[in-house]
Amino acid sequence: MNPAGSLIIRAAFAEGGVHIEAVILERPAMTRLFVGQNPDAAVRLIPHLYALCAEAQRVTARAALAAAEGRSMVCDATDNRLLWLEVLHENLWRLLLDWPVACGLPAARDAFIAWRSDRLGVDGTLATRRLIDETLCPLVDRCRRILDDRGVAPTWPQADPAAWLAWWQGGVATRPRTPPPHDIAATYLARVADVARAAAALDAGQPFPLLAAGGDGLGVAQSVTARGVLTHAIAVEQGRVKRYHLEAPTDACFAGREALAALLAGRRFDAAAAARIGLETAILALDPCLPYEVEWKDA
């Protein structure tokens, strides 16, 4: 198994649509490693175990521990800059490399690689603006014409650490769920808007959105990453980690077949090849943070 886990999607082209037969997500139980450990040491280990969106993983874990200890954690200017850059990187990766290919267009690979080299330099802001204006915006216009844009307004996930804390404390039986994306084109446009928002926030030095709740040894923190809401929850007792829970957006979106099936509900395709492309755009809208395998049936 890949260190991040495995994801298998079983789907078929049937009666002009895509039928999602199963979504099987398996994750290694890495948070078990933290139980019995010094909480500071466990939190420092987080970004090394979860390399994707490592900055968000790092600060969200720190904020959860701070909340458990009755403290508030404020990101400094360096943290904020790294977090906004991470959001830009993850969104631009998808928008310039993966979404165009899903739409049958060439990826803007050279432009993205050049930006990756320039983004941390003194002219990083200028490089970002140039990439958005000269490469991303024209590409968005082309992708929108190809995607099945039904005019559904984009929505964004909302963090709610208080609801998660109630579950973590045992007062609520059901773990909170963030609603998954509900429309492929709307999700694509939301990511485009996220790039503009992150670029503006980075330029203005704005704080990165990080929310936490807790006390008395129990803490929950959430950040809104490029893929959705990231949640860390920690329980500390007698100076040791008693429990730890981490939920990435992929865990919520691919917990079962429902989110993927909902994105494809009502969509009709003339041929199996078009249906397979539709499936790939739906998967991309949910944006798994690990490699996946599609087991596809044409009939």
Side-chain angles (χ1 to χ4, degrees), residues 12-18 267-279 296-299:
F13 177 55
E15 299 180 351
V18 177
R267 299 192 67 187
R268 291 293 175 261
F269 305 94
D270 295 333
R276 179 61 188 267
I277 293 173
L279 171 62
W296 176 253
K297 299 177 184 176
D298 286 348

Side-chain angles (χ1 to χ4, degrees), residues 13-299:
F13 177 55
E15 299 180 351
V18 177
H19 174 64
I20 304 299
E21 297 178 348
V23 171
I24 305 168
L25 175 65
E26 294 184 356
R27 296 279 224 172
M30 289 188 180
T31 55
R32 292 181 183 175
L33 298 173
F34 308 148
V35 175
Q37 301 298 313
N38 175 284
D40 290 304
V43 164
R44 284 196 299 269
L45 187 59
I46 289 285
H48 301 286
L49 294 177
Y50 300 92
L52 197 64
C53 293
E55 296 298 335
Q57 296 280 8
R58 176 177 63 85
V59 299
T60 308
R62 285 172 49 202
L65 177 58
E69 295 174 344
R71 302 181 288 109
S72 60
M73 195 204 79
V74 179
C75 292
D76 60 22
T78 299
D79 284 335
N80 287 322
R81 183 169 182 268
L82 291 173
L83 287 161
W84 286 122
L85 280 170
E86 187 172 74
V87 169
L88 276 173
H89 181 273
E90 294 302 311
N91 277 317
L92 287 169
W93 182 301
R94 290 304 197 201
L95 292 169
L96 297 178
L97 303 186
D98 297 324
W99 277 102
V101 172
C103 293
L105 301 171
R109 186 174 303 277
D110 291 343
F112 179 70
I113 291 173
W115 173 79
R116 286 187 71 181
S117 299
D118 297 338
R119 72 191 192 278
L120 298 177
V122 293
D123 295 327
T125 299
L126 178 61
T128 299
R129 290 295 177 191
R130 186 166 58 245
L131 182 69
I132 292 172
D133 294 341
E134 298 178 6
T135 303
L136 179 61
C137 288
L139 197 53
V140 168
D141 289 338
R142 297 176 69 189
C143 287
R144 285 192 70 176
R145 289 195 292 269
I146 296 169
L147 290 172
D148 182 17
D149 190 347
R150 305 176 182 182
V152 178
T155 59
W156 285 266
Q158 302 295 318
D160 189 358
W164 274 85
L165 181 63
W167 168 74
W168 194 233
Q169 292 170 328
V172 177
T174 305
R175 187 164 75 244
R177 291 292 185 189
T178 301
H182 60 288
D183 182 83
I184 295 172
T187 302
Y188 171 78
L189 294 175
R191 297 203 82 153
V192 174
D194 281 344
V195 167
R197 178 176 64 93
L202 181 63
D203 194 27
Q206 293 179 3
F208 190 82
L210 179 66
L211 299 177
D216 297 325
L218 298 174
V220 173
Q222 293 183 307
S223 59
V224 182
T225 71
R227 289 175 173 81
V229 177
L230 171 67
T231 303
H232 281 250
I234 189 170
V236 179
E237 188 174 285
Q238 297 180 347
R240 298 290 172 179
V241 177
K242 184 179 181 181
R243 291 181 290 139
Y244 204 104
H245 179 80
L246 188 159
E247 182 160 309
T250 294
D251 299 314
C253 289
F254 293 94
R257 59 177 294 277
E258 291 77 15
L260 195 55
L263 281 176
L264 292 162
R267 299 192 67 187
R268 291 293 175 261
F269 305 94
D270 295 333
R276 179 61 188 267
I277 293 173
L279 171 62
E280 292 295 340
T281 60
I283 296 171
L284 192 53
L286 297 181
D287 197 3
C289 63
L290 73 170
Y292 64 89
E293 177 186 352
V294 174
E295 296 179 358
W296 176 253
K297 299 177 184 176
D298 286 348

